[in-house]
């Protein structure tokens, strides 16, 4: 059985239950726009750990999902929610993970509440790419409300939203390790929002860097790292590179 799929301004003839688009789904210039085929995932209680999939339903997790291979996952406007106590949503522990969303209303990663990385933890030299995905509503009492990067992990954010997360420090992003094995957070010029993240230490609003590397590439002529006279980027060592391309 075949179906006609419309994605990114083009029509495709494909097997029913699949859909096609590039990594960014038209939301970023930082993409080679190679069209991928995503296979339907319709389990409401678990996530795939490798392969190319799109969500056909919201997913409620009772345990953190540990990614062990190459995974390209389109949220397709759906929510990935942790519903258990003392549990984060995702562990990116090996390989490369790309979370994307082709829907106009972005899907959300939410409900994480584990200390030291409530939403997503990226470690062991792995890479997480984010296109048009919302990370919101994650909370802990320590560090890294939305993203916790350690052990040489890298997060590339090309578009999307990090909002309404809570932590002691780095409610949006916390880079935990020292310069001997630094984590890296790359924020590329695209359409993104980073706002309304709450830190219990008032001097850190959004990004806490304790020895890692933050690279910001923007097509605009400036980067605002101050909100209502409160620092939104706190550097305790490490490197901050800002490039306006």
């Amino acid at each position: 059985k075949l179906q006609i799929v419309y994605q990114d301004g083009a029509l495709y003839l494909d097997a029913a239950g699949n859909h096609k688009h590039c990594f960014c789904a038209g939301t970023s210039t930082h993409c080679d726009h190679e069209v991928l085929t995503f296979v339907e995932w319709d389990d409401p209680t678990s996530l795939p750990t490798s392969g190319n999939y799109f969500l056909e339903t919201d997913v409620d997790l009772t345990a953190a999902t540990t990614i062990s291979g190459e995974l390209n996952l389109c949220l397709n406007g759906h929510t990935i929610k942790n519903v258990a106590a003392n549990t984060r949503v995702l562990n990116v522990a090996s390989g490369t993970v790309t979370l994307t969303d082709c829907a106009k209303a972005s899907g959300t990663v939410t409900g994480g509440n584990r200390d030291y990385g409530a939403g997503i933890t990226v470690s062991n030299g792995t890479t997480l790419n984010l296109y048009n995905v919302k990370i919101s509503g994650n909370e802990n009492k320590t560090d890294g409300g939305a993203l916790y990067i350690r052990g040489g992990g890298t997060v590339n954010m090309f578009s999307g939203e990090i909002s309404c997360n809570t932590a002691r420090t780095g409610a949006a992003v916390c880079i935990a390790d020292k310069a001997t094995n630094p984590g890296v957070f790359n924020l590329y010029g695209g359409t993104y929002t980073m706002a309304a993240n709450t830190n219990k230490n008032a001097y850190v609003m959004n990004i806490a860097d304790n020895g890692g590397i933050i690279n910001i590439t923007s097509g605009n002529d400036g980067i605002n790292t101050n909100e209502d006279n409160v620092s939104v980027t706190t550097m305790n060592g490490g490197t901050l590179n800002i490039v306006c391309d």
Side-chain angles (χ1 to χ4, degrees):
K1 183 178 179 180
L2 297 177
Q3 64 180 356
I4 297 176
V5 179
Y6 178 80
Q7 292 288 343
D8 305 325
L11 291 173
Y12 301 95
L13 188 64
D14 193 27
N18 296 343
H19 75 187
K20 293 186 175 184
H21 57 77
C22 63
F23 282 130
C24 78
T27 64
S28 174
T29 59
H30 294 273
C31 176
D32 61 12
H33 303 296
E34 176 186 357
V35 174
L36 303 176
T37 298
F38 296 82
V39 178
E40 179 181 313
W41 183 269
D42 59 2
D43 186 341
T45 62
S46 71
L47 290 174
T49 57
S50 63
N52 299 345
Y53 290 94
F54 74 94
L55 298 183
E56 186 58 28
T57 182
D58 292 344
V59 176
D60 288 344
L61 299 172
T62 57
T65 297
T66 297
I67 308 300
S68 56
E70 305 292 321
L71 174 66
N72 302 311
L73 180 63
C74 174
L75 274 62
N76 195 32
H78 290 288
T79 296
I80 300 172
K81 183 178 181 180
N82 168 62
V83 296
N86 193 31
T87 303
R88 67 177 54 93
V89 185
L90 294 174
N91 286 314
V92 182
S94 65
T96 298
V97 176
T98 297
L99 300 181
T100 183
D101 202 315
C102 62
K104 289 185 177 180
S106 300
T108 304
V109 177
T110 189
N113 52 62
R114 176 103 181 226
D115 285 347
Y116 301 105
I120 304 175
T121 294
V122 183
S123 61
N124 300 327
T126 58
T127 298
L128 171 65
N129 300 311
L130 299 171
Y131 293 98
N132 198 36
V133 170
K134 182 178 180 180
I135 306 175
S136 182
N138 302 282
E139 179 176 0
N140 65 26
K141 297 179 180 179
T142 56
D143 304 332
L147 295 170
Y148 188 70
I149 310 169
R150 62 187 177 88
T154 297
V155 174
N156 300 310
M157 183 175 181
F158 301 95
S159 57
E161 179 176 331
I162 301 177
S163 63
C164 302
N165 301 282
T166 301
R168 178 180 60 191
T169 57
V173 181
C174 182
I175 303 176
D177 286 345
K178 303 299 182 182
T180 54
N181 192 22
V184 179
F185 178 59
N186 295 313
L187 183 62
Y188 292 93
T191 301
Y192 56 82
T193 299
M194 191 175 294
N197 297 289
T198 302
N199 288 271
K200 296 170 184 179
N201 285 347
Y203 58 86
V204 181
M205 189 71 179
N206 275 335
I207 302 174
D209 181 8
N210 298 314
I213 300 170
I214 299 173
N215 298 311
I216 300 175
T217 302
S218 174
N220 298 319
D221 60 359
I223 302 292
N224 178 17
T225 59
N226 186 279
E227 181 174 304
D228 298 330
N229 297 316
V230 177
S231 171
V232 298
T233 303
T234 295
M235 303 290 295
N236 297 313
T239 302
L240 172 63
N241 299 314
I242 298 177
V243 179
C244 297
D245 57 353

